[in-house]
Structure formats: structure tokens, C-alpha cells
Amino acid sequence: MLIAGNWKMNLKYEDILKFKDILTDLKLDNQVEMAIFPQFPLLYSAKEYLSNYNIEIGAQACSSELKGAFTGDVSVEIISDIGCKYCIVGHSERRMFHNETNGFIKKASNLLLSKNIIPIICVGESEEIKNKKNTNQFIISQINECVPDNISSNLVIAYEPLWAIGTGVIPDYEEIFNVHAVIMNELSYIENLRVIYGGSVNVENCSKIFELNNVHGALIGGSSLKFKDFLAIYKSAVKQII
Ligand code: 13P
């Protein structure tokens, strides 16, 4: 399982230190990975302070170009040099505010894989698509357009329904199960594929989500900023393994 905290554009350098301080008596389970995704300028410090605790670090986005005149963008080379294991690609906020398309996501994912960074490709339907009962169709087309050709391992898909992000509302558990099944079926050729759920995961709903046997973790926004909640969610995932 993978419990990933997407800090988005929140928290500061001092919060990395606070996070480290509350980890002292946490024992990480070797079957449940913890990863955090702070803002770019904090990645290096996060790596330095947290790697002793076996916590993985990831980037929230990357460029689809290797290098060059792309002011403000961050290359996969730098993300790799810092020692990130993961990079989120195509988060709905990037699709919405930075025009990241399925084509961009595929290209960026290819670059990440070439640097041995595991892409966490985000997919998810809007409320309109859900209401039209077109979710499965939509997710399948996103998967087909975003996932690099010839990939055989090292991929995480985050299923994040847009209407569940930051709203406190989550799909029925059965609906999460069904969409994860669709994704796994579509990508059954990928070894060790992990499909994680994101969108309003919190201390109250996490154990029911982790009980679903095709959920391999969570991508957590708001609740990852409250460190006690984030650790409680992590512990709930560990309980599920035992
Ligand atoms: P929330 O957990 O705040 O709904 O955010 C989910 C998300 O977008 C994680 O990437």
C-alpha cells in the first residue's frame, strides 16, 4: 500500500521539521509506504530530514520537456537528483489551471520512467460525467491516452473523482471498488500496478476505503496537512494489512 500526502500549495519549511518531530515513535510497516509531496523548494530539505525515517518524497508535477527555455517549469532531471521516488502527473488541479492534457501526461510519464521515477497518474471524472453514468468509459479513455506505451511495471494510478476533491464527499465504497476494478482490468499487463484512491480521504472514512481489496492506498490532500490525522490514516492502512 502507498499512503501519499499531497501538500499542494500549503505548509512551509518549519512544517517539515514539525512533521519529522512527530515521527519519532512511528514504526513504518514495510508493506505500507508513506510518501509526502511538498512544494518544490521544500523537496530537498524533506529528503534530507525524512529519509532516515524511510519516508519517500515526491514532486507534485513536472515538465514534459527534458530541459531548455521553459521558465518556471521543473525538469525530471532535478526531481531525480533530489531523490524523489514518485511524481504526481496530471492532477486535476494541474489539468484545470495549467492545461495539462492527456498527451502532456503521457510524455511527462515517459520522461519520469526514463529517470526511474514512478509516475502517479491522476484520473477522475467530473460530476457531470458521473451523473450521465459515463464514468467507466471516461476513465478508460483517460487511461488509454495517459499511460505510456510499452510500460510493464512501476506505475501508480490515482483515482480522484473531481467532485470528491476537497468537498468532504466521497463515492459509495462500491463505486470506488468498481472504478478500481475497471482500471486494473485495463492495465492488467502492468506488473505491481497500484491503484490508489484520492478525494476527501479522512480519519473517519479511510478504514472502509482500505478494506476494499483493490485499493492499494490513498492520495490525501487536506488530511495530510493535519499530521496527526495523516499518521492515523497511515496506521489504519497498516491495520488492513495485518
Ligand atoms: P483532498 O484530500 O483535500 O480532497 O484532496 C485530494 C487530492 O486532490 C489529493 O491529490
Side-chain angles (χ1 to χ4, degrees):
M1 283 232 225
L2 169 63
I3 302 302
N6 178 7
W7 287 8
K8 306 191 181 184
M9 205 169 73
N10 297 294
L11 304 186
K12 301 193 274 192
Y13 172 77
E14 65 200 37
D15 296 303
I16 304 269
L17 302 179
K18 284 185 196 153
F19 186 57
K20 178 178 93 91
D21 284 346
I22 70 158
L23 292 173
T24 35
D25 35 57
L26 175 79
K27 278 229 167 3
L28 282 195
D29 183 283
N30 57 14
Q31 289 185 72
V32 184
E33 232 180 339
M34 183 188 283
I36 60 157
F37 297 73
Q39 297 181 63
F40 277 122
L42 302 180
L43 282 174
Y44 188 80
S45 320
K47 180 72 189 170
E48 193 169 85
Y49 290 123
L50 302 176
S51 52
N52 277 352
Y53 298 88
N54 291 325
I55 291 174
E56 299 295 346
I57 305 302
Q60 297 177 12
C62 66
S63 173
S64 66
E65 301 294 332
L66 245 193
K67 61 176 170 181
F70 300 101
T71 303
D73 284 348
V74 175
S75 73
V76 295
E77 222 154 41
I78 294 296
I79 293 170
S80 162
D81 281 355
I82 291 171
C84 290
K85 179 168 178 180
Y86 296 102
C87 180
I88 300 171
V89 214
H91 190 281
S92 60
E93 288 145 19
R94 300 291 305 179
R95 290 177 186 260
M96 203 177 343
F97 302 126
H98 295 269
N99 301 321
E100 291 189 2
T101 61
N102 291 339
F104 169 98
I105 293 160
K106 188 185 234 182
K107 198 170 166 199
S109 298
N110 264 318
L111 278 187
L112 288 164
L113 290 164
S114 74
K115 296 281 171 202
N116 294 320
I117 300 168
I118 301 176
I120 301 181
I121 296 180
C122 298
V123 296
E125 80 286 2
S126 65
E127 190 157 27
E128 194 188 348
I129 291 169
K130 168 185 131 73
N131 290 340
K132 286 188 183 152
K133 302 200 183 318
N134 279 340
T135 298
N136 291 356
Q137 202 88 35
F138 181 77
I139 298 291
I140 289 172
S141 68
Q142 275 193 323
I143 293 280
N144 288 335
E145 289 173 31
C146 294
V147 172
D149 307 322
N150 306 323
I151 183 173
S152 56
S153 63
N154 285 342
L155 182 69
V156 178
I157 300 286
Y159 170 51
E160 298 207 314
L162 307 195
W163 50 273
I165 295 176
T167 59
V169 181
I170 63 165
D172 294 341
Y173 298 110
E174 192 187 341
E175 181 63 12
I176 297 176
F177 181 87
N178 288 340
V179 176
H180 279 228
V182 165
I183 296 169
M184 292 193 63
N185 184 49
E186 203 58 26
L187 297 174
S188 56
Y189 56 92
I190 299 180
E191 224 179 287
N192 303 326
L193 172 74
R194 283 172 290 173
V195 185
I196 63 177
Y197 170 78
S200 295
V201 175
N202 60 33
V203 179
E204 282 79 42
N205 60 27
C206 64
S207 64
K208 278 245 162 40
I209 295 172
F210 297 146
E211 269 171 27
L212 303 169
N213 68 15
N214 58 11
V215 170
H216 307 112
L219 184 53
I220 303 152
S223 293
S224 74
L225 307 178
K226 299 176 236 159
F227 298 151
K228 284 207 168 107
D229 285 8
F230 187 58
L231 296 195
I233 294 170
Y234 178 84
K235 285 178 187 161
S236 164
V238 172
K239 251 192 214 151
Q240 194 50 44
I241 295 285
I242 297 166

